Protein backbone atom coordinates (compact mmCIF):
# COMPACT_ATOMS: atom_id res chain seq x y z
CA UNK A 1 0.00 0.00 0.00
CA UNK A 2 2.92 2.34 -0.65
CA UNK A 3 2.27 5.92 -1.74
CA UNK A 4 5.99 6.66 -2.09
CA UNK A 5 6.58 9.41 -4.65
CA UNK A 6 2.92 10.46 -4.69
CA UNK A 7 1.71 13.95 -3.86
CA UNK A 8 -1.68 14.53 -2.21
CA UNK A 9 -3.81 17.50 -1.25
CA UNK A 10 -6.15 17.22 1.75
CA UNK A 11 -8.66 20.06 2.11
CA UNK A 12 -9.52 20.94 5.69
CA UNK A 13 -6.46 18.82 6.39
CA UNK A 14 -5.42 20.09 9.82
CA UNK A 15 -8.23 18.79 12.04
CA UNK A 16 -10.47 15.78 12.68
CA UNK A 17 -10.78 13.38 9.76
CA UNK A 18 -8.60 15.59 7.50
CA UNK A 19 -5.72 15.44 9.96
CA UNK A 20 -6.02 11.65 10.23
CA UNK A 21 -6.06 11.40 6.42
CA UNK A 22 -2.96 13.61 6.18
CA UNK A 23 -1.09 11.36 8.64
CA UNK A 24 -2.29 8.14 7.01
CA UNK A 25 -1.22 9.29 3.53
CA UNK A 26 2.14 10.46 4.87
CA UNK A 27 2.48 7.20 6.81
CA UNK A 28 2.21 5.38 3.47
CA UNK A 29 4.94 7.61 2.00
CA UNK A 30 3.05 10.47 0.28
CA UNK A 31 4.04 14.12 0.41
CA UNK A 32 1.02 16.19 1.44
CA UNK A 33 -0.32 19.72 0.97
CA UNK A 34 -2.42 20.50 4.02
CA UNK A 35 -5.15 23.00 3.15
CA UNK A 36 -6.56 24.99 6.06
CA UNK A 37 -8.51 28.15 6.89
CA UNK A 38 -8.19 28.17 10.67
CA UNK A 39 -5.57 27.29 13.27
CA UNK A 40 -2.21 27.89 11.62
CA UNK A 41 -0.48 26.50 14.71
CA UNK A 42 -2.18 23.12 14.31
CA UNK A 43 -1.09 23.10 10.66
CA UNK A 44 2.54 23.83 11.56
CA UNK A 45 2.45 21.10 14.20
CA UNK A 46 1.05 18.65 11.64
CA UNK A 47 3.75 19.61 9.12
CA UNK A 48 6.31 18.60 11.75
CA UNK A 49 4.51 15.28 12.37
CA UNK A 50 4.62 14.55 8.62
CA UNK A 51 8.32 15.47 8.48
CA UNK A 52 8.96 13.05 11.37
CA UNK A 53 7.47 10.31 9.17
CA UNK A 54 10.11 11.16 6.55
CA UNK A 55 7.77 12.94 4.15
CA UNK A 56 7.30 16.53 3.04
CA UNK A 57 4.29 18.67 3.96
CA UNK A 58 3.29 22.23 3.16
CA UNK A 59 0.46 24.14 4.78
CA UNK A 60 -1.63 26.24 2.41
CA UNK A 61 -4.14 28.80 3.69
CA UNK A 62 -6.94 28.47 1.13
CA UNK A 63 -10.71 28.89 1.42
CA UNK A 64 -12.01 26.03 -0.70
CA UNK A 65 -15.36 27.73 -1.25
CA UNK A 66 -13.48 30.10 -3.61
CA UNK A 67 -12.39 28.69 -6.97
CA UNK A 68 -9.43 31.10 -7.10
CA UNK A 69 -8.17 29.77 -3.74
CA UNK A 70 -8.53 26.18 -4.98
CA UNK A 71 -6.46 27.02 -8.06
CA UNK A 72 -3.83 28.68 -5.84
CA UNK A 73 -3.79 25.54 -3.61
CA UNK A 74 -3.12 23.31 -6.62
CA UNK A 75 -0.54 25.70 -8.12
CA UNK A 76 1.41 25.92 -4.86
CA UNK A 77 1.29 22.14 -4.42
CA UNK A 78 2.70 21.56 -7.89
CA UNK A 79 5.30 24.31 -7.48
CA UNK A 80 6.53 23.14 -4.06
CA UNK A 81 5.89 19.38 -4.14
CA UNK A 82 6.30 18.78 -7.87
CA UNK A 83 2.99 17.22 -8.97
CA UNK A 84 -0.49 16.14 -7.89
CA UNK A 85 -1.62 12.51 -7.73
CA UNK A 86 -4.34 12.40 -5.07
CA UNK A 87 -6.98 15.06 -4.31
CA UNK A 88 -8.96 14.58 -1.11
CA UNK A 89 -12.01 16.87 -0.92
CA UNK A 90 -12.57 16.70 2.83
CA UNK A 91 -13.45 20.21 4.12
CA UNK A 92 -17.00 20.44 5.39
CA UNK A 93 -19.36 22.15 7.80
CA UNK A 94 -22.93 21.71 9.00
CA UNK A 95 -25.55 24.09 10.38
CA UNK A 96 -27.94 21.62 12.08
CA UNK A 97 -31.02 23.40 10.76
CA UNK A 98 -34.19 21.89 9.32
CA UNK A 99 -35.84 22.52 5.95
CA UNK A 100 -38.14 25.04 7.64
CA UNK A 101 -35.40 26.87 9.56
CA UNK A 102 -32.49 27.07 7.10
CA UNK A 103 -31.74 30.63 5.95
CA UNK A 104 -30.42 31.55 2.51
CA UNK A 105 -27.05 32.44 4.04
CA UNK A 106 -26.79 29.09 5.87
CA UNK A 107 -27.81 27.19 2.75
CA UNK A 108 -25.26 28.97 0.57
CA UNK A 109 -22.42 28.58 3.09
CA UNK A 110 -22.95 24.83 3.48
CA UNK A 111 -23.30 24.29 -0.26
CA UNK A 112 -20.22 26.37 -1.07
CA UNK A 113 -17.92 24.73 1.49
CA UNK A 114 -19.20 21.17 1.11
CA UNK A 115 -20.29 20.79 -2.51
CA UNK A 116 -19.02 23.65 -4.68
CA UNK A 117 -15.52 23.10 -3.24
CA UNK A 118 -15.63 19.38 -4.09
CA UNK A 119 -16.93 20.08 -7.62
CA UNK A 120 -14.23 22.61 -8.47
CA UNK A 121 -11.60 20.75 -6.45
CA UNK A 122 -12.36 17.74 -8.67
CA UNK A 123 -12.35 19.81 -11.86
CA UNK A 124 -9.09 21.68 -11.18
CA UNK A 125 -7.27 18.62 -9.81
CA UNK A 126 -8.35 16.60 -12.84
CA UNK A 127 -7.04 19.28 -15.22
CA UNK A 128 -3.67 19.14 -13.48
CA UNK A 129 -3.63 15.31 -13.55
CA UNK A 130 -4.56 15.26 -17.24
CA UNK A 131 -1.74 17.73 -17.99
CA UNK A 132 0.70 15.44 -16.12
CA UNK A 133 -0.56 12.47 -18.18
CA UNK A 134 -0.26 9.76 -15.54
CA UNK A 135 -3.79 9.52 -14.15
CA UNK A 136 -4.75 10.17 -10.56
CA UNK A 137 -7.26 9.65 -7.81
CA UNK A 138 -9.93 11.94 -6.38
CA UNK A 139 -11.48 11.04 -3.03
CA UNK A 140 -14.60 12.84 -1.85
CA UNK A 141 -15.27 12.69 1.89
CA UNK A 142 -19.03 12.52 1.88
CA UNK A 143 -21.13 10.94 4.65
CA UNK A 144 -23.73 8.29 5.34
CA UNK A 145 -25.98 11.32 4.79
CA UNK A 146 -25.35 11.22 1.05
CA UNK A 147 -28.06 8.54 1.11
CA UNK A 148 -29.65 8.90 4.49
CA UNK A 149 -31.76 11.96 5.39
CA UNK A 150 -31.19 13.39 8.87
CA UNK A 151 -34.06 15.50 10.23
CA UNK A 152 -32.70 18.85 11.43
CA UNK A 153 -29.60 18.82 9.16
CA UNK A 154 -31.12 19.75 5.82
CA UNK A 155 -28.48 21.67 3.85
CA UNK A 156 -25.75 19.25 5.01
CA UNK A 157 -27.67 16.21 3.74
CA UNK A 158 -28.37 17.99 0.43
CA UNK A 159 -24.71 18.84 0.00
CA UNK A 160 -23.64 15.25 0.66
CA UNK A 161 -26.33 13.97 -1.74
CA UNK A 162 -24.72 16.24 -4.32
CA UNK A 163 -21.29 14.79 -3.55
CA UNK A 164 -22.71 11.33 -4.17
CA UNK A 165 -23.66 12.31 -7.72
CA UNK A 166 -20.41 14.27 -8.23
CA UNK A 167 -18.46 11.07 -7.48
CA UNK A 168 -20.53 9.10 -9.98
CA UNK A 169 -20.58 11.78 -12.69
CA UNK A 170 -16.88 12.65 -12.45
CA UNK A 171 -15.93 8.97 -12.22
CA UNK A 172 -17.55 8.33 -15.60
CA UNK A 173 -16.14 11.44 -17.27
CA UNK A 174 -12.60 11.15 -15.87
CA UNK A 175 -12.19 7.36 -16.08
CA UNK A 176 -10.97 7.58 -19.70
CA UNK A 177 -8.10 9.77 -18.39
CA UNK A 178 -7.17 7.05 -15.88
CA UNK A 179 -8.44 9.27 -13.06
CA UNK A 180 -10.71 7.43 -10.63
CA UNK A 181 -13.17 9.13 -8.30
CA UNK A 182 -14.26 7.49 -5.06
CA UNK A 183 -16.53 8.66 -2.25
CA UNK A 184 -16.00 7.85 1.41
CA UNK A 185 -19.09 7.86 3.62
CA UNK A 186 -18.15 7.96 7.29
CA UNK A 187 -20.75 7.24 9.97
CA UNK A 188 -20.33 9.01 13.31
CA UNK A 189 -16.73 10.04 13.98
CA UNK A 190 -15.27 11.66 17.12
CA UNK A 191 -14.16 15.03 15.68
CA UNK A 192 -14.77 18.72 16.39
CA UNK A 193 -17.78 18.78 14.01
CA UNK A 194 -19.57 16.59 16.60
CA UNK A 195 -18.55 18.58 19.70
CA UNK A 196 -22.15 19.18 20.84
CA UNK A 197 -22.90 15.43 20.73
CA UNK A 198 -19.57 14.43 22.29
CA UNK A 199 -20.24 16.78 25.21
CA UNK A 200 -23.77 15.44 25.82
CA UNK A 201 -23.75 12.05 27.63
CA UNK A 202 -27.46 11.42 26.89
CA UNK A 203 -26.98 11.96 23.15
CA UNK A 204 -23.83 9.80 23.21
CA UNK A 205 -25.74 6.95 24.88
CA UNK A 206 -28.43 6.96 22.16
CA UNK A 207 -25.84 7.21 19.39
CA UNK A 208 -23.56 4.47 20.74
CA UNK A 209 -26.56 2.16 21.19
CA UNK A 210 -27.50 2.68 17.52
CA UNK A 211 -24.05 1.73 16.18
CA UNK A 212 -23.48 -2.02 15.74
CA UNK A 213 -19.94 -1.69 17.17
CA UNK A 214 -21.32 0.32 20.10
CA UNK A 215 -19.02 3.33 19.60
CA UNK A 216 -18.18 6.23 17.33
CA UNK A 217 -15.24 5.86 14.94
CA UNK A 218 -11.90 7.46 15.67
CA UNK A 219 -10.67 9.69 12.80
CA UNK A 220 -7.75 7.30 12.20
CA UNK A 221 -10.27 4.59 11.24
CA UNK A 222 -11.34 6.79 8.31
CA UNK A 223 -7.76 7.88 7.49
CA UNK A 224 -6.57 4.30 7.03
CA UNK A 225 -9.38 3.57 4.55
CA UNK A 226 -8.54 6.72 2.57
CA UNK A 227 -4.86 5.71 2.41
CA UNK A 228 -5.92 2.36 0.94
CA UNK A 229 -8.27 4.07 -1.52
CA UNK A 230 -5.40 6.32 -2.65
CA UNK A 231 -3.16 3.31 -3.29
CA UNK A 232 -2.74 1.00 -6.30
CA UNK A 233 -4.67 -1.63 -4.34
CA UNK A 234 -7.85 0.33 -5.05
CA UNK A 235 -7.11 0.91 -8.76
CA UNK A 236 -10.40 -0.59 -10.01
CA UNK A 237 -12.74 1.32 -7.65
CA UNK A 238 -14.47 4.16 -9.46
CA UNK A 239 -17.69 6.19 -9.34
CA UNK A 240 -18.87 4.65 -6.08
CA UNK A 241 -18.89 5.29 -2.34
CA UNK A 242 -17.26 3.22 0.38
CA UNK A 243 -19.23 3.55 3.63
CA UNK A 244 -17.14 3.45 6.80
CA UNK A 245 -19.95 3.40 9.36
CA UNK A 246 -19.79 0.06 11.19
CA UNK A 247 -23.20 -0.72 9.66
CA UNK A 248 -24.96 2.31 11.21
CA UNK A 249 -26.93 3.07 8.05
CA UNK A 250 -28.50 -0.36 7.98
CA UNK A 251 -29.21 -0.61 11.69
CA UNK A 252 -30.80 2.72 12.61
CA UNK A 253 -32.60 4.42 9.73
CA UNK A 254 -33.52 7.99 10.53
CA UNK A 255 -31.33 8.42 13.63
N1 LIG B 1 -17.26 13.63 12.09
C1 LIG B 1 -18.24 12.93 11.53
O1 LIG B 1 -19.03 12.26 12.23
C2 LIG B 1 -18.41 12.91 10.04
C3 LIG B 1 -19.26 11.97 9.48
C4 LIG B 1 -19.44 11.94 8.11
C5 LIG B 1 -18.77 12.82 7.30
N2 LIG B 1 -17.93 13.75 7.87
C6 LIG B 1 -17.25 14.68 6.96
O2 LIG B 1 -15.87 14.66 7.19
C7 LIG B 1 -15.30 15.90 6.78
C8 LIG B 1 -14.36 16.40 7.87
O3 LIG B 1 -15.11 16.72 9.02
P1 LIG B 1 -14.59 16.48 10.51
O4 LIG B 1 -15.55 15.59 11.16
O5 LIG B 1 -13.17 16.12 10.50
O6 LIG B 1 -14.83 17.93 11.15
P2 LIG B 1 -13.79 19.11 11.43
O7 LIG B 1 -14.66 20.26 11.80
O8 LIG B 1 -12.74 18.67 12.35
O9 LIG B 1 -13.11 19.35 10.01
C9 LIG B 1 -13.64 20.17 9.01
C10 LIG B 1 -12.48 20.90 8.39
O10 LIG B 1 -12.94 21.69 7.28
C11 LIG B 1 -12.28 22.95 7.38
N3 LIG B 1 -13.00 23.98 6.64
C12 LIG B 1 -14.18 24.57 6.93
N4 LIG B 1 -14.46 25.53 6.02
C13 LIG B 1 -13.43 25.54 5.14
C14 LIG B 1 -13.13 26.30 3.99
N5 LIG B 1 -13.96 27.27 3.55
N6 LIG B 1 -11.97 26.07 3.33
C15 LIG B 1 -11.12 25.11 3.76
N7 LIG B 1 -11.34 24.35 4.85
C16 LIG B 1 -12.49 24.57 5.53
C17 LIG B 1 -12.22 23.23 8.87
O11 LIG B 1 -11.31 24.27 9.18
C18 LIG B 1 -11.79 21.86 9.36
O12 LIG B 1 -10.39 21.70 9.25
C19 LIG B 1 -16.47 16.84 6.49
O13 LIG B 1 -16.70 16.91 5.10
C20 LIG B 1 -17.64 16.14 7.18
O14 LIG B 1 -18.88 16.43 6.58
C21 LIG B 1 -17.73 13.82 9.21
Amino acid sequence: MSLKGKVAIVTGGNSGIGKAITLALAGAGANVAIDYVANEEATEDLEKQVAALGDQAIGVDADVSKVSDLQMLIDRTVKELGRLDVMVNNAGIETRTSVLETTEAQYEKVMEINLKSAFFGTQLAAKQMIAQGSGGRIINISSVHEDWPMPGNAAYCLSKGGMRMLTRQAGLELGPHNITVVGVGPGAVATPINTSTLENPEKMKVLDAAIPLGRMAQPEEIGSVVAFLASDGASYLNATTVFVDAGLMHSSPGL
Side-chain angles (χ1 to χ4, degrees):
M1 214 183 70
S2 172
L3 297 174
K4 204 84 208 148
K6 305 264 188 203
V7 174
I9 290 176
V10 183
T11 68
N14 73 351
S15 102
I17 292 172
K19 178 179 175 181
I21 292 171
T22 296
L23 288 171
L25 295 175
N31 295 327
V32 187
I34 306 161
D35 158 69
Y36 70 100
V37 281
N39 206 344
E40 191 169 5
E41 237 174 66
T43 311
E44 285 168 3
D45 183 58
L46 190 54
E47 283 174 49
K48 285 183 197 139
Q49 290 183 54
V50 171
L53 292 168
D55 303 301
Q56 251 183 294
I58 56 166
V60 183
D61 183 350
D63 176 348
V64 295
S65 67
K66 297 186 182 135
V67 177
S68 55
D69 275 28
L70 276 168
Q71 187 64 64
M72 179 272 288
L73 171 63
I74 291 171
D75 290 346
R76 269 201 57 196
T77 303
V78 173
K79 187 163 176 243
E80 294 181 38
L81 299 177
R83 52 186 294 109
L84 177 62
D85 302 287
V86 179
M87 178 74 181
V88 184
N89 293 308
N90 165 75
I93 59 161
E94 58 182 17
T95 55
R96 296 270 173 158
T97 51
S98 69
V99 169
L100 290 176
E101 294 158 346
T102 302
T103 64
E104 184 178 3
Q106 286 171 325
Y107 177 91
E108 285 179 348
K109 192 166 182 203
V110 171
M111 285 301 183
E112 286 191 357
I113 294 175
N114 294 10
L115 184 56
K116 180 184 162 193
S117 72
F119 182 86
F120 286 101
T122 297
Q123 180 193 82
L124 299 179
K127 284 184 179 176
Q128 173 61 32
M129 291 165 183
I130 290 167
Q132 289 170 190
S134 47
R137 193 139 311 158
I138 296 170
I139 300 172
N140 292 321
I141 307 304
S142 171
S143 166
V144 287
H145 296 300
E146 71 168 43
D147 263 348
W148 187 23
M150 178 183 183
N153 209 356
Y156 182 79
C157 291
L158 250 72
S159 72
K160 297 300 183 181
M163 277 184 111
R164 177 185 200 280
M165 187 52 76
L166 168 64
T167 294
R168 282 145 186 76
Q169 180 75 24
L172 298 196
E173 292 187 12
L174 300 177
H177 298 280
N178 195 26
I179 298 169
T180 53
V181 187
V182 183
V184 173
V189 189
T191 72
I193 214 172
N194 285 320
T195 301
S196 65
T197 305
L198 289 161
E199 288 175 351
N200 183 326
E202 279 311 305
K203 275 193 187 171
M204 282 301 291
K205 216 166 138 188
V206 174
L207 180 59
D208 284 348
I211 301 170
L213 289 182
R215 62 174 179 84
M216 281 176 124
Q218 291 304 311
E220 294 73 22
E221 294 177 289
I222 312 300
S224 57
V225 173
V226 173
F228 167 68
L229 293 176
S231 76
D232 288 347
S235 53
Y236 208 65
L237 266 176
N238 187 29
T240 192
T241 303
V242 174
F243 289 104
V244 192
D245 71 338
L248 173 65
M249 265 174 98
H250 300 294
S251 74
S252 306
L255 179 82

